[in-house]
Amino acid sequence: QVQLVESGGGFAQPGGSLRLSCVASGRTFRQYTVAWFRQAPGKEREFVGAVRGSGGNTYHYADSVKGRFAISRDNAKNTVTLQMDRLNPEDTALYFCAAGQGIILSNIRSETAYAYWGQGTRVTVSS
């Protein structure tokens, strides 16, 4: 069982930055693939990015955030961070951290592949 807690959401102006953190419980966290998803008002939840576990530590991003957002992972602290730069109003959403094991590459962007979810942290980008 893994419990995930996100933090770091808030307000930012267009062009600004925010840093989200996802802290997990569990001694085998390093084995998990961890992803960030987001859900904007009135829209479906969408994939933002992910980092694979078990030593792979490969990173995958949605095209909409590639080059602006970066995921980092600290297994010693059971923490995955989402650094968000050059924010724009379209990044406004509730951001979720999710984790799962045994996720194959072709499923890494699918929310159904992840068994564990945090409660979400809200990000608002507005001038």
Side-chain angles (χ1 to χ4, degrees):
Q1 189 77 7
V2 174
Q3 292 184 322
L4 305 172
V5 179
E6 304 99 331
S7 63
F11 289 89
Q13 291 188 335
S17 299
L18 284 173
R19 187 181 185 92
L20 307 184
S21 293
C22 174
V23 180
S25 63
R27 292 176 292 178
T28 60
F29 177 68
R30 64 179 64 246
Q31 299 175 4
Y32 285 75
T33 294
V34 180
W36 288 93
F37 288 80
R38 66 186 182 185
Q39 187 166 20
K43 295 187 177 181
E44 294 185 351
R45 191 155 53 186
E46 64 175 4
F47 174 80
V48 174
V51 53
R52 302 193 78 183
S54 297
N57 279 3
T58 55
Y59 299 86
H60 307 269
Y61 297 96
D63 288 344
S64 59
V65 307
K66 200 172 294 184
R68 301 188 298 122
F69 290 11
I71 293 173
S72 60
R73 179 174 196 146
D74 186 341
N75 287 329
K77 296 181 179 180
N78 276 13
T79 299
V80 172
T81 299
L82 178 66
Q83 176 67 40
M84 304 186 296
D85 297 322
R86 291 157 47 201
L87 287 162
N88 59 59
E90 290 70 37
D91 296 317
T92 294
L94 187 61
Y95 283 71
F96 297 91
C97 175
Q101 283 186 300
I103 299 175
I104 60 176
L105 187 57
S106 60
N107 287 342
I108 202 168
R109 298 166 186 262
S110 173
E111 61 180 289
T112 60
Y114 297 86
Y116 304 104
W117 291 81
Q119 81 288 351
T121 185
R122 191 165 299 279
V123 171
T124 303
V125 183
S126 175
S127 56

